[in-house]
Amino acid sequence: MDLAELNAIAAHERASRKPIRIACCTSLGCYASGAVELQQQLTAGVAATGRAENVEVVGVGCMGFCGHGPLVRIEPEDLLFEHVRPEQAPAIIAALDGGPCDVERGDPRHPFFARQLPIVRRNGGVIDPERIEAYIAAGGYATLYRVLHDVSPAEVIDQITRSGLRGRGGAGYPTGLKWATVAKSPGERKFVVCNGDEGDPGAFMDRSILESDPHLVLEGMAIAAYAVGAHEGYLYVRGEYPLAIQRLTRAISQARRHGLSGSQIFETAFDFKVEVRVGAGAFVCGEETALIASIEGRRGQPRPRPPYPAERGLWGCPTLINNVETFANIVPIIERGADWYASIGTARSKGTKVFALTGKIRNTGLIEVPMGITLREIIEDLGGGTPDGTPVKAVQTGGPSGGCIPASLFDTPVDYESLAAAGSIMGSGGMVVMDAGTNMVEIARFYMAFCMDESCGKCVPCRVGTVQMHHLLDKLVNGQATSEDLVQLEALCQIVREMSLCGLGQSAPNPVLSTLRYFRDEYAALLNAPSAAAPQPTD
Amino acid sequence: MAGALPRAAPAQEQDLAAPTVDNRQKILQATMRRHQYRPDALIEVLHKAQELYGYLSPTLLATVAHDLHLPPSRVYGVATFYHFFSLAPQGAHTCTVCLGTACYVKGAAALLAALEAETGLKAGSTSADGQLSLLTARCLGACGIAPAVVLDGLVIGHADAATLRARLHALLAQPPLAEEHHGSR
Ligand SMILES: Cc1cc2nc3c(=O)[nH]c(=O)nc-3n(C[C@H](O)[C@H](O)[C@H](O)COP(=O)(O)O)c2cc1C
Ligand code: SF4
Ligand code: FES
């Protein structure tokens, strides 16, 4: 493969496009609601009405408005249809001529779409994720070509550092700094690992990226490998994501066939081969040292750091581990420059973040917004508030490691430091909205049950502490706790937080601490009040 | 409305000790060979074994340990560590209720309680006739259509108790599943 061939593929793909395009979302949310049959019906309908000459039906990645799927968009008119059933295919085709159409219409200019800034999701809902040609036509792999021919590894790292990109897996560690450490670490053999374990319940950003634009992640990984001097990579994807695994596996074999993965990529001396590893349902495997153990075929138990994986990772070799969304940011940064990226966001949090908006919210789905946007803008403007118009009580960010932020703090800007100051974390991007019907002590118990079940058992504070804290929360919810129990719960929170070996234990108390901070009255109301059974969450 | 995910449905249980060399054994051997019998392929191999046999029997674990040159304790340790691996046969049909946060906030706990009452099963158990397993999951990534339930590999979004009850009845009313219905997805 050389540049001329790449350009030829792109040109051919663009030339074979038809004037009218019916795009069907085929990512999990729509997929599970019958999108595949819908796509077949649309294709058959287009053929039957003799329009195949100038109308194409394509399956595309996630459009983001998952709660309203299956979604169909017609271009260039930019008509959006929601909740489309396969039997409505003829009505959609009729709409091409401006005919009457009773299919539910969406508004592509709704703030849910208009307020977004798609950088990593720019191809989501636009290209067919199953065809490498579609990615190449959208400019794909041109950045890798340029990097391999014209940019030195040190310059790549410099660009990433200056962009201000921070890890999207939760902790927000500066990506450029991590790359520089791996590049400096001595060793013949190095690895690049993409963390696609996405264990936080309520988060599906990484799944959507992998399903909608797998090559963007692969190209980002290849650039990373070039920068740090690695020739082998692993993509660790959780086993609950079969569709993402299928699309990634297909993308890798396409890349290999086109000489964009493997040896002598773009006829340079650069070799890089990637393999997918499928997780087996353990949340702790998202922790980087546990993930490494899992790739090595062992129990996914964390080990103390240092040494960090950047120095001693897979099989003892220097290893770069980044999150899916982190890798998805690489191509846009190199393509448009560090200064452009650094101009988006706040002083210390640059670029955009993808969030999964779920729970008691009208517009459920995936959004990509610039850092610095407020929680209120996300929840009220993009999310449209609660479905029944009642007030939002709180939003949970960061999953089991995060916390609940009350509505009174919704003017908090979304950046790493502000969310931490509010008692939560940026986390990987799950945002679960809660209304008055949600009992916060029950939510705390819910997360503690999660951490208790997922604790790997290696260290005592986490293994025993989560069980004890869960027991105390259970007593509280059942109205059997005394004020001493509450004191003990708070003491345990401190111990487990300070003494646990890995992030799972260290952050397990966070949901308790944050709900105590903002909703202490709900805890107090449950003390010694045997009849006060907590209300069940209702829809 | 539901779309089938490209996940292999669990195959019927089968006594490995029986001396029949069916093609599942060949497929498993081929998987190990592809990984050059490397010990670090253990999890990949266990995934394949479970996909083929439906669960990991002691004999199956022993075979894998022998072929990958690993101590049985290591294989057993890995198989029990990961939630995905099941050491007991599962029902011919499975119903998995997501209890992740997004589904929980949308009433998944009540949904599960309704299914438990309906089937007389507790979450995590299999009916005595081996027809149905009622399971739970920690987020399927389908939070956008919460609450989510998976019925025999089919994700059902915006699930409600009445619809699920009807679908379960329809499923269980079918003649018991024969082998060839499995693994075709
Ligand atoms: C219990 C636990 C679970 C984690 N789960 C994930 C995960 O699912 N995905 C992820 O990218 N990072 C996860 N992390 C963070 C990783 O350890 C690591 O910091 C991250 O993958 C680094 O990539 P980044 O710098 O691009 O964020 C988890 C950490 C802990 C302690
Ligand atoms: S903190 Fe918990 S999950 Fe982490 S090593 Fe200790 S026991 Fe395992
Ligand atoms: S919380 Fe149920 S699918 Fe994510």
Side-chain angles (χ1 to χ4, degrees):
Chain A
M1 172 76 81
D2 56 24
L3 193 59
E5 279 175 76
L6 194 73
N7 288 337
I9 293 175
H12 180 263
E13 178 74 11
R14 281 193 287 262
S16 50
R17 251 180 227 158
K18 295 174 185 166
I20 300 175
R21 190 166 188 258
I22 305 181
C24 271
C25 174
T26 53
S27 250
L28 180 68
C30 292
Y31 195 111
S33 309
V36 173
E37 194 191 339
L38 172 62
Q39 189 189 343
Q40 286 163 355
Q41 293 290 333
L42 284 167
T43 310
V46 164
T49 52
R51 321 194 46 150
E53 270 297 291
N54 52 18
V55 180
E56 61 183 7
V57 178
V58 278
V60 295
C62 180
M63 298 186 190
F65 216 22
C66 313
H68 291 232
L71 299 168
V72 171
R73 202 172 54 217
I74 298 183
E75 290 155 14
E77 287 88 347
D78 209 11
L79 305 179
L80 180 70
F81 298 95
E82 304 175 356
H83 299 294
V84 189
R85 296 189 306 274
E87 63 270 22
Q88 291 175 315
I92 300 237
I93 293 166
L96 293 175
D97 307 315
C101 174
D102 59 354
V103 186
E104 202 178 318
R105 287 285 290 273
D107 177 10
R109 274 163 293 280
H110 187 282
F112 182 88
F113 298 108
R115 298 289 300 272
Q116 295 196 39
L117 179 61
I119 293 177
V120 305
R121 287 194 21 83
R122 58 187 179 177
N123 289 334
V126 178
I127 67 164
D128 181 347
E130 308 213 335
R131 297 183 57 247
I132 192 172
E133 295 84 357
Y135 179 71
I136 293 174
Y141 288 109
T143 307
L144 178 62
Y145 179 89
R146 193 167 64 79
V147 163
L148 295 185
H149 286 89
D150 303 332
V151 191
S152 73
E155 280 172 84
V156 173
I157 295 177
D158 180 57
Q159 288 274 324
I160 300 300
T161 306
R162 286 196 302 111
S163 75
L165 176 66
R166 294 169 65 176
R168 299 293 192 242
Y173 190 81
T175 306
L177 199 56
K178 196 186 272 187
W179 288 25
T181 311
V182 180
K184 275 203 301 273
S185 291
E188 276 296 294
R189 200 172 175 208
K190 295 181 186 180
F191 292 93
V192 169
V193 173
C194 176
N195 188 341
D197 199 43
E198 193 164 60
D200 285 4
F204 55 96
M205 304 74 50
D206 295 346
R207 170 183 67 69
S208 167
I209 294 170
L210 293 173
E211 282 175 5
S212 306
D213 206 0
H215 288 286
L216 182 68
V217 179
L218 294 177
E219 190 178 352
M221 284 180 75
I223 293 173
Y226 170 76
V228 303
H231 300 292
E232 290 161 85
Y234 287 96
L235 254 150
Y236 189 95
V237 188
R238 65 194 291 248
E240 288 87 343
Y241 289 174
L243 190 61
I245 294 164
Q246 188 199 52
R247 291 204 175 144
L248 256 182
T249 312
R250 179 173 310 188
I252 291 173
S253 64
Q254 289 169 345
R256 206 178 295 134
R257 256 203 322 278
H258 283 81
L260 298 167
S261 173
S263 0
Q264 299 178 359
I265 296 172
F266 279 127
E267 281 146 44
T268 64
F270 175 64
D271 303 341
F272 183 59
K273 72 174 209 288
V274 201
E275 251 183 69
V276 174
R277 280 292 160 104
V278 177
F283 172 68
V284 71
C285 286
E287 197 279 337
E288 52 191 22
T289 59
L291 187 138
I292 286 171
S294 187
I295 293 179
E296 291 174 355
R298 296 184 286 119
R299 291 162 69 99
Q301 286 184 313
R303 62 155 175 80
R305 300 173 306 175
Y308 285 89
E311 285 151 355
R312 285 180 61 83
L314 257 183
W315 292 291
C317 305
T319 301
L320 173 71
I321 299 194
N322 275 131
N323 165 264
V324 169
E325 190 181 332
T326 312
F327 280 123
N329 270 297
I330 301 306
V331 172
I333 291 173
I334 302 292
E335 191 182 270
R336 302 187 59 177
D339 296 334
W340 161 77
Y341 196 82
S343 72
I344 303 163
T346 67
R348 296 184 57 195
S349 302
K350 299 298 186 190
T352 57
K353 178 78 195 84
V354 183
F355 289 102
L357 262 184
T358 62
K360 299 294 182 66
I361 186 120
R362 193 184 302 263
N363 303 322
T364 311
L366 267 199
I367 53 167
E368 181 174 357
V369 286
M371 295 279 193
I373 191 171
T374 64
L375 289 169
R376 185 179 311 285
E377 289 171 280
I378 292 180
I379 291 162
E380 292 176 4
D381 300 348
L382 284 84
T386 56
D388 53 9
T390 56
V392 173
K393 179 174 177 179
V395 63
Q396 211 281 347
T397 67
S401 318
C404 295
I405 302 175
S408 58
L409 292 182
F410 278 3
D411 290 319
T412 305
V414 170
D415 64 57
Y416 292 95
E417 282 71 28
S418 304
L419 290 177
S424 187
I425 55 167
M426 172 81 74
S428 57
M431 274 196 184
V432 186
V433 177
M434 296 163 183
D435 66 4
T438 318
N439 177 310
M440 303 315 273
V441 187
E442 269 200 18
I443 288 294
R445 180 181 66 166
F446 169 86
Y447 280 115
M448 194 55 71
F450 183 92
C451 292
M452 177 176 76
D453 288 350
E454 297 296 335
S455 167
C456 80
K458 180 163 176 165
C459 67
V460 176
C462 168
R463 182 178 69 220
V464 181
T466 51
V467 176
Q468 292 306 320
M469 289 192 287
H470 181 261
H471 173 67
L472 291 170
L473 287 163
D474 210 35
K475 269 176 94 176
L476 269 161
V477 170
N478 293 323
Q480 292 159 350
T482 61
S483 48
E484 289 86 70
D485 287 330
L486 193 54
V487 173
Q488 202 191 355
L489 178 64
E490 295 197 69
L492 272 171
C493 283
Q494 292 310 325
I495 295 173
V496 174
R497 174 187 238 180
E498 282 158 23
M499 316 259 295
S500 294
L501 172 61
C502 87
L504 191 153
Q506 288 158 10
S507 60
N510 285 358
V512 181
L513 290 170
S514 79
T515 47
L516 269 170
R517 176 164 163 192
Y518 298 117
F519 302 97
R520 189 174 276 271
D521 52 328
E522 292 193 28
Y523 282 82
L526 290 167
L527 286 178
N528 269 334
S531 61
Q536 280 288 316
T538 48
D539 194 3
Chain B
M1 286 185 296
L5 285 178
R7 169 186 295 170
Q12 214 73 4
E13 59 170 294
Q14 159 98 22
D15 186 9
L16 236 201
T20 55
V21 183
D22 57 30
N23 64 348
R24 289 182 297 186
Q25 231 161 345
K26 274 198 208 131
I27 297 172
L28 188 60
Q29 282 299 329
T31 304
M32 291 196 272
R33 203 165 37 246
R34 202 175 61 244
H35 288 284
Q36 291 146 7
Y37 299 93
R38 291 214 325 251
D40 61 88
L42 175 59
I43 294 173
E44 304 290 298
V45 171
L46 291 180
H47 267 302
K48 195 62 174 182
Q50 174 149 316
E51 182 189 312
L52 292 168
Y53 291 93
Y55 77 107
L56 304 173
S57 67
T59 339
L60 194 48
L61 289 178
T63 312
V64 170
H66 176 265
D67 291 353
L68 296 184
H69 306 289
L70 284 168
S73 61
R74 163 93 182 272
V75 175
Y76 185 77
V78 167
T80 50
F81 182 83
Y82 293 98
H83 298 311
F84 251 51
F85 299 130
S86 168
L87 277 72
Q90 303 248 307
H93 299 284
T94 54
C95 174
T96 308
V97 181
C98 175
L99 290 184
T101 325
C103 293
Y104 182 81
V105 170
K106 290 267 198 158
L111 197 62
L112 178 63
L115 288 174
E116 284 183 332
E118 179 70 20
T119 58
L121 292 174
K122 274 195 72 70
S125 65
T126 301
S127 62
D129 63 1
Q131 280 300 296
L132 179 70
S133 291
L134 185 61
L135 307 169
T136 59
R138 292 286 192 205
C139 187
L140 308 158
C143 329
I145 50 172
V149 172
V150 191
L151 219 52
D152 280 356
L154 253 61
V155 178
I156 299 168
H158 305 294
D160 66 83
T163 322
L164 277 176
R165 221 176 272 141
R167 295 187 65 139
L168 262 183
H169 274 292
L171 208 62
L172 294 174
Q174 287 166 11
L177 280 195
E179 183 101 17
E180 51 269 30
H181 293 152
H182 285 298
S184 54
R185 287 195 201 100

